[in-house]
Amino acid sequence: MQNKGDLIVILGTGGTIAGTAADPGDNVGYKAAQLSVEQLIASLPGLAGRRLETEQVAQIDSKDMDFATWQQLAEKLAQHLARPEVSGIVITHGTDTLEETAYFLQRLLNPVKPVVITAAMRPATSLQSDGPQNLLDAVAVAAQAHVAGVLVAFAGAIHSAEQVRKVHSYRLDAFASAEGSRLGVVEEGIVRWLARRPSAPAALGLARISRPAAQWPRVQIVMNHVGADGAVVEALLAQGVDGLVVAGTGNGSVASPLEAALRQAHEQGVAVLRSTRCDAGPVSAAADALPSAGSLSPVKARIELLLTLLAD
Ligand code: SIN
């Protein structure tokens, strides 16, 4: 569906951007997900003159994001994207799992209109509140008629869903694109593109996630580290697991006892992907090694595996 209108829909899901604290100087002792998305935009005079619509899809701290909320968000997003009058969509989210939601929505819908996720590192009541500017920037990006795909607008930078990662636990500039591959910047409401996004794989489609969230495959992440053994994998196998992502060291290397346990899991029918705990760079595929997750981070490799297993 091509853009025919100028309506931007803002979907709220919670996060620090909607958080409040009793003390404006308190940047850590706040409660996330307190203000509605309607309240967030009401405080932004810079949005006057834009045709906007809001919908509260969830109101959570994103550490608690779950499959049922993802399902609901993806369905809402698809409904709004299909409306000819909608030119772009903004999603407000918590920073903690934002990159996972961004990747999930990108792989599922590969939207032909801009879907821009934004968030904040400081609550709305903070002296340093960054949410209002991030939201203004996200709307500016969502209004770009020629743009497609799921993007993240944060601290003046634009990242793709594939490359974005939260890289700092406190700083306002908390996100980066792997290997410096940010797509653009927003300066005083003007969007300046710096790089072309590589073409994305086709959308997997909403039908992929039609089964009830409680029945989605169980995919867990295990990490390689000094002294890693097979105990965690064995415990997961005993509990029942459908897929495993190993966050390997370096080029996806895995300590011998952990690798043996993963190979055993693989032989028992558990899907395994080998990723790296490095901040960037691919894991090379090798004939005799466990399957590579390419350059996906462990959390994004988990989503890829989840979506693959949902096809079965
Ligand atoms: C959250 O992820 O919901 C809380 C933290 C944040 O948004 O920065």
Side-chain angles (χ1 to χ4, degrees):
M1 176 82 54
Q2 289 306 311
N3 293 358
K4 291 205 181 111
D6 60 355
L7 178 65
I8 293 174
V9 177
I10 308 185
L11 303 177
T13 71
T16 295
I17 192 167
T20 57
D23 172 1
D26 187 354
N27 291 316
V28 289
Y30 63 89
K31 265 190 98 145
Q34 299 302 301
L35 301 176
S36 68
V37 64
E38 190 65 47
Q39 286 172 299
L40 297 186
I41 65 155
S43 62
L44 281 179
L47 291 178
R50 293 258 190 216
R51 224 155 67 82
L52 300 174
E53 199 177 288
T54 59
E55 183 168 354
Q56 196 75 44
V57 179
Q59 188 65 306
I60 55 175
D61 186 317
S62 82
K63 70 180 171 57
D64 295 322
M65 183 55 74
D66 56 22
F67 292 162
T69 310
W70 267 1
Q71 201 171 32
Q72 204 190 340
L73 180 61
E75 281 163 10
K76 280 281 169 225
L77 184 56
Q79 278 167 20
H80 288 297
L81 285 167
R83 296 167 61 196
E85 69 274 27
V86 171
S87 60
I89 303 202
V90 170
I91 301 173
T92 58
H93 199 285
T95 61
D96 286 348
T97 59
L98 179 155
E99 70 210 62
E100 295 178 56
T101 298
Y103 188 75
F104 172 75
L105 295 174
Q106 171 60 38
R107 291 292 287 119
L108 205 61
L109 301 175
N110 187 22
V112 296
K113 298 177 184 179
V115 172
V116 188
I117 309 188
T118 196
M121 287 298 285
R122 301 287 180 264
T125 47
S126 167
L127 296 171
Q128 289 186 312
S129 178
D130 53 333
Q133 188 63 52
N134 286 345
L135 190 46
L136 280 174
D137 290 353
V139 171
V141 179
Q144 300 260 301
H146 64 283
V147 174
V150 180
L151 301 162
V152 173
F154 202 90
I158 307 167
H159 307 277
S160 71
E162 291 88 345
Q163 299 298 332
V164 72
R165 281 190 189 204
K166 187 171 181 181
V167 293
H168 205 278
S169 60
Y170 181 74
R171 239 175 36 206
L172 294 185
D173 190 6
F175 285 84
S177 284
E179 315 209 48
S181 58
R182 69 186 172 157
L183 297 177
V185 291
V186 191
E187 295 152 336
E188 300 297 316
I190 310 290
V191 178
R192 191 157 60 90
W193 295 100
L194 302 174
R196 217 181 148 78
R197 183 183 197 157
S199 59
L204 297 171
L206 267 188
R208 180 67 64 107
I209 57 161
S210 57
R211 76 174 84 152
Q215 291 167 25
W216 288 18
R218 280 172 56 83
V219 182
Q220 303 285 359
I221 300 175
V222 296
M223 188 184 273
N224 191 48
H225 49 77
V226 171
D229 61 20
V232 174
V233 172
E234 281 151 25
L236 289 170
L237 283 177
Q239 260 199 8
V241 67
D242 304 296
L244 288 168
V245 170
V246 56
T249 27
N251 185 19
S253 64
V254 181
S256 305
L258 176 55
E259 182 174 357
L262 288 166
R263 283 189 186 277
Q264 197 184 356
H266 203 218
E267 275 157 28
Q268 288 177 22
V270 175
V272 177
L273 270 186
R274 202 166 41 91
S275 169
T276 174
R277 62 180 220 192
C278 290
D279 283 349
V283 165
S284 320
D288 56 342
L290 288 162
S292 159
S295 47
L296 291 175
S297 65
V299 290
K300 290 180 187 172
R302 174 176 176 264
I303 294 166
E304 196 62 44
L305 196 47
L306 173 75
L307 291 170
T308 304
L309 292 170
L310 275 165
D312 296 343

